[in-house]
């Protein structure tokens, strides 16, 4: 059960880092993802709110989702290796 809490903690940390930090290019991706998923706005509404075309919103959603997937994959790999090291040191 403790392992599940560790995994959840690392996942939340990764998500928080993704949403709070990063390169300037990722700033609009994060903003668009938050408006789309958290606020429930559609692409047209987001475009109007940010003053960009709907296609730009769509592209930023796709790129942001890809970036988030990479972060999660990377975090899962590092978490897996960290847990293996913890298991070895406990024995």
């Amino acid at each position: 059960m403790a392992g599940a809490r560790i995994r959840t903690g690392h996942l939340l940390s990764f998500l928080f880092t993704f949403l709070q930090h990063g390169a300037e290019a990722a700033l609009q991706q994060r903003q668009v993802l938050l408006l789309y998923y958290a606020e429930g706005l559609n692409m047209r509404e987001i475009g109007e709110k940010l003053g960009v075309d709907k296609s730009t919103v769509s592209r930023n959603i796709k790129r942001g989702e890809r970036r988030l997937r990479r972060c999660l994959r990377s975090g899962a790999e590092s978490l897996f290796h960290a847990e293996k090291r913890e298991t070895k040191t406990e024995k």
Side-chain angles (χ1 to χ4, degrees):
M1 194 58 104
R5 280 195 301 265
I6 292 170
R7 280 188 215 106
T8 302
H10 283 287
L11 175 61
L12 291 174
S13 175
F14 246 61
L15 291 173
F16 182 77
T17 300
F18 174 79
L19 294 171
Q20 296 297 323
H21 304 288
E24 186 64 32
L27 178 62
Q28 192 170 17
Q29 291 170 7
R30 289 191 309 272
Q31 187 177 23
V32 167
L33 286 174
L34 286 170
L35 290 171
Y36 189 70
Y37 287 107
E39 301 287 326
L41 299 179
N42 64 38
M43 291 182 206
R44 182 188 52 77
E45 292 168 330
I46 295 169
E48 289 173 0
K49 184 171 185 142
L50 300 179
V52 297
D53 192 66
K54 187 174 100 170
S55 64
T56 302
V57 173
S58 175
R59 185 171 52 252
N60 278 307
I61 289 172
K62 289 176 186 171
R63 288 178 180 173
E65 288 171 339
R66 261 196 314 265
R67 182 185 298 269
L68 183 55
R69 266 190 234 101
R70 283 194 309 266
C71 285
L72 292 173
R73 260 190 237 118
S74 171
E77 287 176 18
S78 57
L79 176 63
F80 175 73
H81 294 299
E83 286 182 347
K84 280 179 73 173
R85 284 191 299 273
E86 288 175 11
T87 303
K88 286 182 182 178
T89 58
E90 289 175 359
K91 290 182 180 183

